Coordinates of all heavy atoms in Angstrom, one line a residue:
M256 N 0.8 -1.2 0.0 CA 0.1 0.0 0.0 C 0.9 1.2 0.0 O 2.0 1.3 0.7 CB -1.0 0.0 1.3 CG -1.9 1.1 1.3 SD -3.0 1.0 2.7 CE -4.5 0.4 2.1
D257 N 0.5 2.2 -0.7 CA 1.2 3.5 -0.9 C 1.3 4.1 0.5 O 0.3 4.1 1.3 CB 0.4 4.4 -1.8 CG 1.1 5.7 -2.1 OD1 2.3 5.8 -2.0 OD2 0.4 6.7 -2.4
P258 N 2.4 4.8 0.9 CA 2.6 5.3 2.2 C 1.6 6.5 2.4 O 1.2 6.7 3.5 CB 4.0 5.9 2.1 CG 4.8 5.0 1.2 CD 3.7 4.7 0.2
T259 N 1.3 7.2 1.3 CA 0.4 8.4 1.5 C -1.1 7.8 1.8 O -1.8 8.3 2.7 CB 0.3 9.1 0.1 OG1 1.6 9.6 -0.2 CG2 -0.7 10.4 0.3
A260 N -1.5 6.7 1.2 CA -2.7 6.0 1.5 C -2.8 5.5 2.9 O -3.8 5.6 3.6 CB -3.0 5.0 0.5
Q261 N -1.7 5.0 3.4 CA -1.6 4.5 4.7 C -1.7 5.6 5.8 O -2.4 5.5 6.7 CB -0.3 3.8 5.0 CG 0.0 2.4 4.4 CD 1.3 1.8 4.6 OE1 2.2 2.5 5.0 NE2 1.3 0.5 4.4
L262 N -1.1 6.8 5.5 CA -1.2 8.0 6.3 C -2.6 8.5 6.4 O -3.1 8.8 7.4 CB -0.2 9.1 5.9 CG -0.3 10.3 6.7 CD1 0.2 10.0 8.1 CD2 0.6 11.4 6.0
A263 N -3.2 8.5 5.2 CA -4.6 8.9 5.1 C -5.6 8.0 5.9 O -6.4 8.5 6.6 CB -5.1 9.1 3.6
L264 N -5.3 6.7 5.8 CA -6.1 5.8 6.6 C -5.9 5.9 8.0 O -6.8 5.9 8.8 CB -5.7 4.3 6.1 CG -6.5 3.2 6.7 CD1 -8.0 3.3 6.3 CD2 -6.0 1.9 6.3
V265 N -4.7 6.2 8.4 CA -4.5 6.4 9.9 C -5.2 7.6 10.3 O -5.8 7.7 11.5 CB -2.9 6.3 10.1 CG1 -2.7 6.9 11.6 CG2 -2.3 5.0 10.0
I266 N -5.0 8.7 9.6 CA -5.8 9.9 10.0 C -7.2 9.7 10.1 O -7.9 10.2 11.1 CB -5.3 11.1 8.9 CG1 -3.9 11.5 9.2 CG2 -6.2 12.3 9.2 CD1 -3.3 12.4 8.2
V267 N -7.8 9.1 9.0 CA -9.3 8.9 9.1 C -9.7 8.1 10.3 O -10.6 8.4 10.9 CB -9.8 8.3 7.7 CG1 -11.2 7.8 7.8 CG2 -9.7 9.3 6.6
A268 N -9.0 7.1 10.5 CA -9.2 6.1 11.6 C -9.0 6.9 12.9 O -10.0 6.7 13.9 CB -8.3 4.9 11.7
G269 N -8.1 7.8 13.1 CA -8.0 8.6 14.2 C -9.1 9.5 14.5 O -9.6 9.6 15.5
L270 N -9.6 10.2 13.4 CA -10.7 11.1 13.5 C -12.0 10.3 13.9 O -12.8 10.9 14.7 CB -10.9 11.8 12.2 CG -9.8 13.0 11.9 CD1 -10.1 13.5 10.5 CD2 -9.8 14.0 12.8
L271 N -12.2 9.2 13.3 CA -13.4 8.5 13.6 C -13.3 8.0 15.2 O -14.3 8.0 15.9 CB -13.6 7.2 12.7 CG -14.0 7.6 11.3 CD1 -13.9 6.4 10.4 CD2 -15.4 8.2 11.2
A272 N -12.2 7.6 15.6 CA -12.1 7.2 17.0 C -12.3 8.4 17.9 O -12.9 8.2 19.0 CB -10.7 6.5 17.3
F273 N -11.7 9.5 17.6 CA -11.9 10.7 18.4 C -13.4 11.0 18.4 O -13.9 11.4 19.5 CB -11.1 11.8 17.8 CG -11.3 13.1 18.5 CD1 -10.5 13.4 19.7 CD2 -12.2 14.1 18.0 CE1 -10.7 14.6 20.4 CE2 -12.3 15.3 18.7 CZ -11.6 15.5 19.9
A274 N -14.1 11.0 17.3 CA -15.4 11.3 17.3 C -16.4 10.4 18.0 O -17.3 10.8 18.7 CB -16.0 11.4 15.8
G275 N -15.9 9.1 18.0 CA -16.6 8.1 18.8 C -16.4 8.3 20.2 O -17.4 8.1 21.0
L276 N -15.2 8.6 20.7 CA -15.0 8.8 22.1 C -15.7 10.0 22.7 O -16.2 10.0 23.8 CB -13.5 8.9 22.4 CG -12.7 7.6 22.2 CD1 -11.2 7.9 22.3 CD2 -13.2 6.6 23.3
F277 N -15.7 11.0 21.9 CA -16.2 12.4 22.4 C -17.5 12.7 21.7 O -17.8 13.9 21.4 CB -15.3 13.4 22.2 CG -13.9 13.2 23.1 CD1 -12.8 12.6 22.4 CD2 -13.9 13.3 24.4 CE1 -11.6 12.4 23.2 CE2 -12.8 13.1 25.2 CZ -11.7 12.6 24.6
R278 N -18.3 11.7 21.3 CA -19.5 12.0 20.5 C -20.5 13.1 21.2 O -20.9 14.0 20.4 CB -20.3 10.7 20.3 CG -21.3 10.8 19.3 CD -21.8 9.6 18.7 NE -22.8 9.0 19.5 CZ -23.2 7.8 19.4 NH1 -22.7 7.0 18.5 NH2 -24.1 7.3 20.3
P279 N -20.8 13.1 22.3 CA -21.7 14.1 22.9 C -21.2 15.6 22.7 O -21.7 16.4 22.3 CB -22.0 13.7 24.4 CG -21.7 12.2 24.4 CD -20.6 12.0 23.5
E280 N -19.8 15.6 23.0 CA -19.2 17.0 23.0 C -19.1 17.3 21.5 O -19.3 18.6 21.2 CB -17.8 16.9 23.5 CG -17.8 16.7 25.1 CD -17.9 15.3 25.5 OE1 -17.9 14.4 24.6 OE2 -17.9 15.1 26.7
V281 N -18.8 16.5 20.6 CA -18.7 16.9 19.3 C -20.1 17.2 18.7 O -20.2 18.2 17.9 CB -18.1 15.7 18.4 CG1 -18.3 15.9 16.9 CG2 -16.7 15.4 18.7
R282 N -21.1 16.6 19.0 CA -22.5 17.0 18.5 C -22.8 18.3 19.1 O -23.4 19.1 18.4 CB -23.5 15.9 19.1 CG -23.5 14.7 18.3 CD -24.6 13.8 18.7 NE -24.6 12.5 17.8 CZ -25.7 11.9 17.3 NH1 -26.8 12.5 17.7 NH2 -25.5 10.9 16.6
K283 N -22.5 18.6 20.3 CA -22.8 19.9 20.9 C -22.1 21.0 20.1 O -22.6 22.1 19.7 CB -22.4 20.0 22.3 CG -22.8 21.3 23.0 CD -22.5 21.3 24.4 CE -22.9 22.6 25.1 NZ -22.6 23.8 24.5
K284 N -20.9 20.8 19.9 CA -20.0 21.8 19.1 C -20.6 22.1 17.7 O -20.6 23.1 17.2 CB -18.5 21.4 19.2 CG -17.9 21.6 20.4 CD -17.7 23.0 20.8 CE -17.1 23.1 22.1 NZ -17.1 24.4 22.7
L285 N -20.9 20.8 17.0 CA -21.5 21.0 15.7 C -22.8 21.8 15.7 O -23.1 22.4 14.7 CB -21.5 19.7 15.0 CG -20.3 19.0 14.6 CD1 -20.5 17.6 14.1 CD2 -19.5 19.9 13.6
G286 N -23.5 21.5 16.7 CA -24.9 22.2 16.8 C -24.7 23.6 17.1 O -25.5 24.5 16.6
D287 N -23.6 24.0 17.8 CA -23.3 25.5 18.0 C -22.8 26.1 16.8 O -23.0 27.4 16.7 CB -22.4 25.6 19.2 CG -22.9 25.1 20.4 OD1 -24.1 25.0 20.6 OD2 -22.2 24.9 21.4
L288 N -22.2 25.4 15.9 CA -21.6 25.9 14.6 C -22.8 26.4 13.7 O -23.5 25.5 13.2 CB -20.7 25.0 14.0 CG -19.9 25.3 12.8 CD1 -18.9 26.4 13.3 CD2 -19.1 24.2 12.3
R289 N -22.9 27.6 13.5 CA -24.0 28.1 12.6 C -23.5 28.7 11.3 O -24.2 28.7 10.3 CB -24.9 29.1 13.3 CG -25.5 28.5 14.5 CD -26.8 27.7 14.2 NE -27.4 27.2 15.4 CZ -27.7 26.0 15.7 NH1 -27.4 25.1 14.8 NH2 -28.2 25.6 16.8
A290 N -22.2 29.3 11.4 CA -21.8 30.0 10.3 C -20.3 29.9 10.3 O -19.7 29.9 11.4 CB -22.2 31.4 10.2
L291 N -19.6 29.9 9.0 CA -18.2 29.8 8.9 C -17.7 31.0 8.1 O -18.4 31.4 7.2 CB -17.8 28.5 8.2 CG -17.9 27.3 8.8 CD1 -17.6 26.1 7.8 CD2 -17.0 27.1 10.1
T292 N -16.7 31.7 8.6 CA -16.1 32.7 7.7 C -14.6 32.3 7.5 O -14.0 31.8 8.3 CB -16.1 34.0 8.5 OG1 -15.6 34.0 9.7 CG2 -17.6 34.6 8.5
F293 N -14.3 32.5 6.3 CA -12.8 32.2 5.9 C -12.5 33.3 4.9 O -13.2 33.9 4.3 CB -12.8 30.8 5.3 CG -13.9 30.4 4.3 CD1 -13.6 30.7 3.0 CD2 -15.0 30.0 4.6 CE1 -14.6 30.4 2.0 CE2 -16.0 29.7 3.8 CZ -15.8 29.9 2.4
P294 N -11.1 33.3 4.7 CA -10.6 34.2 3.7 C -11.3 34.0 2.4 O -11.2 33.0 1.8 CB -9.2 34.1 3.6 CG -8.8 33.3 4.9 CD -10.0 32.6 5.3
G295 N -11.9 35.0 1.8 CA -12.5 35.0 0.5 C -14.1 34.6 0.5 O -14.6 34.5 -0.5
G296 N -14.6 34.4 1.8 CA -16.0 34.1 1.8 C -16.6 33.7 3.1 O -15.9 33.8 4.1
S297 N -17.8 33.2 3.1 CA -18.3 32.6 4.3 C -19.4 31.6 4.0 O -19.9 31.5 2.8 CB -19.0 33.8 5.1 OG -20.1 34.3 4.4
A298 N -19.9 30.9 4.9 CA -20.8 29.8 4.7 C -21.8 29.8 5.8 O -21.5 29.9 6.9 CB -20.1 28.5 4.6
D299 N -23.1 29.9 5.4 CA -24.2 29.8 6.4 C -24.7 28.3 6.5 O -25.1 27.7 5.5 CB -25.3 30.6 5.9 CG -26.6 30.6 6.9 OD1 -26.4 30.1 8.1 OD2 -27.7 30.9 6.4
L300 N -24.5 27.7 7.6 CA -24.8 26.3 7.8 C -26.2 25.9 8.2 O -26.5 24.7 8.3 CB -23.8 25.5 8.7 CG -22.4 25.7 8.4 CD1 -21.4 25.1 9.4 CD2 -22.1 25.1 7.0
T301 N -27.0 27.0 8.5 CA -28.3 26.8 9.0 C -29.4 26.5 7.9 O -30.4 26.0 8.1 CB -28.8 28.1 9.8 OG1 -28.8 29.2 8.9 CG2 -28.0 28.3 11.0
G302 N -29.0 26.9 6.6 CA -29.8 26.7 5.5 C -30.8 27.9 5.3 O -31.5 27.9 4.4
G303 N -30.7 28.9 6.2 CA -31.7 30.0 6.0 C -31.3 30.8 4.8 O -32.3 31.3 4.2
E304 N -30.1 31.0 4.5 CA -29.7 31.8 3.3 C -30.1 31.1 2.0 O -30.7 31.8 1.2 CB -28.2 32.1 3.3 CG -27.7 33.0 2.2 CD -26.2 33.3 2.3 OE1 -25.7 33.3 3.5 OE2 -25.6 33.3 1.3
A305 N -30.0 29.8 1.9 CA -30.4 29.1 0.7 C -31.9 29.2 0.6 O -32.4 29.3 -0.5 CB -29.9 27.7 0.8
A306 N -32.6 29.0 1.8 CA -34.1 29.1 1.7 C -34.6 30.4 1.2 O -35.5 30.5 0.4 CB -34.7 28.7 3.0
A307 N -33.9 31.4 1.7 CA -34.3 32.8 1.3 C -34.1 33.0 -0.2 O -34.9 33.6 -0.9 CB -33.5 33.9 2.1
Q308 N -32.9 32.4 -0.8 CA -32.7 32.6 -2.2 C -33.7 31.9 -3.0 O -34.1 32.4 -4.1 CB -31.3 32.1 -2.5 CG -30.2 33.1 -2.0 CD -28.8 32.4 -2.3 OE1 -28.7 31.3 -2.7 NE2 -27.8 33.3 -2.0
I309 N -34.1 30.8 -2.5 CA -35.1 29.9 -3.3 C -36.4 30.7 -3.3 O -37.1 30.8 -4.3 CB -35.2 28.5 -2.7 CG1 -33.9 27.8 -2.9 CG2 -36.4 27.7 -3.2 CD1 -33.9 26.4 -2.2
E310 N -36.8 31.2 -2.2 CA -38.1 32.0 -2.1 C -38.1 33.1 -3.1 O -39.1 33.5 -3.7 CB -38.4 32.4 -0.6 CG -38.9 31.3 0.1 CD -40.4 30.9 -0.4 OE1 -41.1 31.8 -0.7 OE2 -40.5 29.6 -0.3
T311 N -36.9 33.8 -3.0 CA -36.8 34.9 -3.9 C -36.8 34.6 -5.4 O -37.6 35.3 -6.2 CB -35.4 35.8 -3.7 OG1 -35.3 36.1 -2.4 CG2 -35.2 36.9 -4.6
Q312 N -36.3 33.5 -5.8 CA -36.3 33.0 -7.1 C -37.8 32.6 -7.5 O -38.2 32.8 -8.7 CB -35.4 31.9 -7.4 CG -34.0 32.2 -7.4 CD -33.0 31.1 -7.5 OE1 -33.4 29.9 -7.6 NE2 -31.7 31.4 -7.6
N313 N -38.5 32.0 -6.5 CA -39.8 31.5 -6.8 C -40.8 32.7 -7.0 O -41.8 32.7 -7.7 CB -40.3 30.6 -5.7 CG -39.8 29.2 -5.7 OD1 -39.1 28.8 -6.6 ND2 -39.8 28.6 -4.5
H314 N -40.5 33.8 -6.4 CA -41.5 35.0 -6.4 C -40.9 36.0 -7.4 O -41.6 37.0 -7.6 CB -41.7 35.6 -5.1 CG -42.3 34.7 -4.1 ND1 -43.3 33.8 -4.4 CD2 -42.2 34.6 -2.8 CE1 -43.7 33.2 -3.4 NE2 -43.0 33.5 -2.4
A315 N -39.8 35.8 -8.1 CA -39.3 36.7 -9.0 C -40.1 36.6 -10.3 O -40.7 35.7 -10.8 CB -37.8 36.4 -9.3
P316 N -40.3 37.8 -11.0 CA -40.9 37.8 -12.3 C -40.2 37.0 -13.3 O -39.0 36.9 -13.3 CB -41.1 39.3 -12.7 CG -40.0 39.9 -11.9 CD -39.8 39.1 -10.7
E317 N -40.8 36.5 -14.3 CA -40.3 35.7 -15.4 C -39.3 36.6 -16.1 O -39.5 37.8 -16.5 CB -41.3 35.2 -16.4 CG -42.1 33.9 -15.9 CD -41.1 32.8 -15.8 OE1 -40.3 32.5 -16.7 OE2 -41.3 32.1 -14.8
T318 N -38.1 36.1 -16.3 CA -37.1 36.8 -17.2 C -37.5 36.7 -18.7 O -38.1 35.7 -19.1 CB -35.7 36.3 -16.8 OG1 -35.7 34.9 -17.2 CG2 -35.4 36.5 -15.4
E319 N -36.9 37.5 -19.4 CA -37.1 37.5 -20.9 C -36.2 36.3 -21.4 O -35.2 36.1 -21.1 CB -36.6 38.9 -21.5 CG -36.8 38.9 -22.9 CD -36.3 40.2 -23.5 OE1 -35.8 41.1 -22.8 OE2 -36.2 40.3 -24.8
R320 N -36.9 35.6 -22.2 CA -36.3 34.5 -22.7 C -35.8 34.7 -24.2 O -36.7 35.1 -25.1 CB -37.2 33.2 -22.8 CG -37.7 32.8 -21.4 CD -38.5 31.5 -21.6 NE -39.1 31.2 -20.3 CZ -38.4 30.4 -19.3 NH1 -37.2 30.2 -19.5 NH2 -39.1 30.2 -18.2
L321 N -34.5 34.8 -24.3 CA -33.9 35.2 -25.5 C -33.6 33.9 -26.4 O -33.4 32.8 -25.9 CB -32.5 35.9 -25.3 CG -32.6 37.1 -24.6 CD1 -31.2 37.7 -24.2 CD2 -33.4 38.2 -25.4
P322 N -33.7 33.9 -27.7 CA -33.5 32.8 -28.5 C -31.9 32.4 -28.4 O -31.0 33.2 -28.2 CB -33.7 33.3 -29.9 CG -33.6 34.7 -29.8 CD -34.0 35.2 -28.5
V323 N -31.8 31.1 -28.3 CA -30.5 30.5 -28.3 C -29.9 30.5 -29.7 O -30.4 30.0 -30.7 CB -30.4 29.1 -27.7 CG1 -29.1 28.5 -27.7 CG2 -31.1 29.2 -26.4
P324 N -28.7 31.1 -29.9 CA -28.1 31.1 -31.2 C -27.6 29.8 -31.6 O -27.2 28.9 -30.8 CB -26.9 32.1 -31.0 CG -26.6 32.2 -29.6 CD -27.8 31.8 -28.9
T325 N -27.8 29.5 -32.9 CA -27.4 28.1 -33.4 C -26.2 28.4 -34.4 O -26.2 29.4 -35.1 CB -28.5 27.5 -34.2 OG1 -28.9 28.3 -35.3 CG2 -29.7 27.0 -33.3
P326 N -25.3 27.5 -34.3 CA -24.1 27.6 -35.2 C -24.5 27.5 -36.7 O -25.4 26.6 -37.0 CB -23.1 26.6 -34.8 CG -23.9 25.6 -34.1 CD -25.2 26.2 -33.6
E327 N -24.0 28.2 -37.6 CA -24.2 28.2 -38.9 C -23.3 27.1 -39.5 O -22.1 27.0 -39.2 CB -23.9 29.6 -39.6 CG -24.8 30.6 -39.1 CD -24.4 32.0 -39.9 OE1 -23.8 31.9 -40.9 OE2 -24.9 33.0 -39.4
P328 N -24.0 26.3 -40.5 CA -23.1 25.3 -41.1 C -22.1 25.8 -42.0 O -22.4 26.9 -42.7 CB -24.1 24.5 -41.9 CG -25.4 25.2 -42.0 CD -25.3 26.3 -40.8
G329 N -20.9 25.2 -42.0 CA -19.9 25.6 -43.1 C -18.9 26.3 -42.3 O -18.0 26.8 -42.5

């Protein structure tokens, strides 16, 4: 087995073991996590932002439908 794959396997197994040992604490921390900010952007993990965008799109007026250009033969 490739050494990189072995290292990845050990890391994944360690993370799973950690999550199994501290499951209630991990669940509480993940529940408290509502939004992430990072260089270049942010993420809303509650789903509220996505739901608001969907509602806006559903209530938006129809946009003008332009014909799709077709390539000319030759």
Side-chain angles (χ1 to χ4, degrees):
M256 185 182 255
D257 183 26
T259 307
Q261 286 178 341
L262 179 63
L264 183 63
V265 169
I266 290 172
V267 169
L270 288 174
L271 289 174
F273 178 80
L276 289 173
F277 299 102
R278 190 161 84 193
E280 291 85 1
V281 170
R282 281 186 179 219
K283 183 179 180 319
K284 289 293 181 188
L285 288 176
D287 293 342
L288 186 64
R289 300 282 182 232
L291 294 173
T292 53
F293 48 89
S297 65
D299 177 22
L300 303 177
T301 60
E304 186 177 321
Q308 288 178 352
I309 291 171
E310 279 298 314
T311 303
Q312 288 176 356
N313 287 341
H314 296 324
E317 282 292 318
T318 58
E319 181 182 355
R320 298 191 187 271
L321 299 174
V323 178
T325 56
E327 296 180 14

